[in-house]
Amino acid sequence: MCGIVGYIGKKQAAPVLLEGLKRLEYRGYDSAGVAVLNPDGGIEIVKAKGRLQVLSDMTDGGKAVKGFCGIGHTRWATHGEPSENNAHPHCNDEKTIAAVHNGIIENYIELKEKLIRRGYTFYSQTDTEVATKLVDYYYKKYGDRLRAISEFALRVRGSYALAVIYKDLPDTIFAIRKDSPMIIGVAGGEAFLASDVPAILNYTRTVYYVDNLQIARLEKGAVTFYNLDREETSMQPVQITWDAEAAEKGGWEHFMLKEIHEQPKVIADTINSAVHDGEIDFTEVGLSDKALKKIKGVVIVGCGSAYHAGVVMQYVIEDLARLPVRVELASEYRYRNPVVNGELVIVISQSGETADSLAAMREAHKNGLKTLAIVNVLGSSIAREADYVFYTKAGPEISVATTKAYSAQLVAGYLLAIKLAKVRKTVSEECGKALLSELCSIPEKVKELLNSKQEIQKFASETMDRSDVFFIGRGTDYAVSIEGSLKLKEISYIHSEAYAAGELKHGTISLIEKGTLVFGVLTQKGLVEKTISNLEETASRGALIAAVASENVSVESTGIKNVFRIPLTDMHFTPSLAVIPLQLFAYYLSVLRGNDVDKPRNLAKSVTVE
Ligand code: AGP
């Protein structure tokens, strides 16, 4: 996510802004910039691609930029490649207004077209430049800075934490937020604004958490709040008790737990990025309905959890769109000299930099195949070289073990499956609408699961001494099992295997001993009875059995005593719910074992080498 900061006070602003941005580096970024109101009355903007150090070196640690009021930004690219031109702050043509923004303006194209018709030109690809010029448009129209902000909020759709400075009002920052975080601090004749608490903890622990659609006016040592009708409103500040490191995690103990809890929003954002007026639209991906209709086969490649997401997609796309789908480990596909037959190759990668996945994509291109990248990092290598790109909206994922990005990849797969099924008419119009409507209910169902994590936490504490854990399932329940097993082993270091439940009797069951923990995933109607009997076979050989099961799966009169229920949903989407207890199980076991949850031994977040 982007990070924004603002400062007004008796210090030179730029060094304070840079320090605040440094505290927000954990949010992930690819460029940065500051805008300061100079004593001579101008707005000075300095921006740089790359690390914050580049910007600091350009400005001698901020000392070269004079002025007591300014805003700053670290950009996590969502619209437009990482570049100096696209970096924030953005400004109007006369450089009398500058702004920074964290969020996504969903209707920025429509607004940009309206502003162009009113004579505006644009130098960047960003939605933020559009936002800045929209504020400029309303300031020119009404001559009222506060009204310019409120009119902006009434016109845009999406999420924003927006901070604006006006050249003709040197000691004031205006700000407004909707769905993107913003906090404000006031102390000792100074005022601070930021996306998150760590940026201002060195100056104050008394913080205002700005409400949605609340406007703030910051001046030296004071802040005034307004509603959208521009009536003053009052706010109570909060006393922050966290230390800086804990604050980076927003009060969560680990980034992984924070990111697990971000999944409802990430799933909703990823759905919303490709659904307009109730229809799945892959225009921005680059795939028209005509192009989708021409697809005769799909090969999915990825590594680790990305591969596991591909296994889910294989079941869902084949079942809904009746299209042949093959899923392969990228590290195998790249060397296999595959027989090709015009398939679309889908490359799944959170980082967009995984060496094996990039090589597999290049192999596909060598064979004359078109590629669709499902990636989370805008402008990453895989995104740049793919023919089509679907960007997941998971934001930066800090923890090495992926959770929210994996969930976003699943959503991308569901959307593609429903879209393919509709263009190929393998599902009816109303079935397609029903599937999309059910998909939109997943974020709330994930939230419901996260509110009842105590049971799985207790089970983890009861089973923390197990040396072997098996996960089994059929169909997409098998696909979830492999992801649950990977989560467990990569952060708890407990040996774990995942098997298609039907495979146990072909050798693996010989590994079952007294005390082996066997987790069954039970969501697929017509398959769960078989998996339950597989679980009971392992129990008769001494295993401790447990299950993640849909609410309508009966386990009465079975030996399964430890059941973790997930809400009912369409059978294609159960992986998004079944994986939640398994993510939490792995997390709690890692914590109980005293491991470095976010940075497990021997692992890197992105494996850019072979
Ligand atoms: C998942 O928890 C692991 N960190 C790892 O398997 C990861 O999914 C894999 O390395 C692929 O990374 P990518 O999605 O960035 O390509």
Side-chain angles (χ1 to χ4, degrees), residues 37-38 84 176 195 224 243 258 391 488 531 544 561 567:
L37 282 159
N38 284 156
E84 187 178 326
I176 186 167
S195 297
T224 313
D243 62 28
K258 178 171 180 270
Y391 282 113
L488 182 69
T531 305
L544 168 65
K561 299 293 171 265

Side-chain angles (χ1 to χ4, degrees), residues 168-234:
D168 58 3
L169 191 61
D171 278 346
T172 306
I173 297 175
F174 286 86
I176 186 167
R177 71 159 288 237
K178 176 175 168 291
D179 296 341
S180 290
M182 184 190 287
I183 54 104
I184 287 172
V186 174
E190 301 175 308
F192 307 85
L193 170 148
S195 297
D196 200 356
V197 167
I200 68 167
L201 265 190
N202 281 354
Y203 302 101
T204 179
R205 287 184 172 274
T206 306
V207 163
Y208 295 93
Y209 283 84
V210 183
D211 285 335
N212 260 354
L213 296 178
Q214 191 168 35
I215 302 172
R217 178 186 178 128
L218 289 80
E219 295 162 291
K220 283 186 176 174
V223 60
T224 313
F225 294 103
Y226 305 85
N227 60 24
L228 280 192
D229 296 325
R230 303 188 296 285
E231 297 154 342
E232 266 200 52
T233 56
S234 65

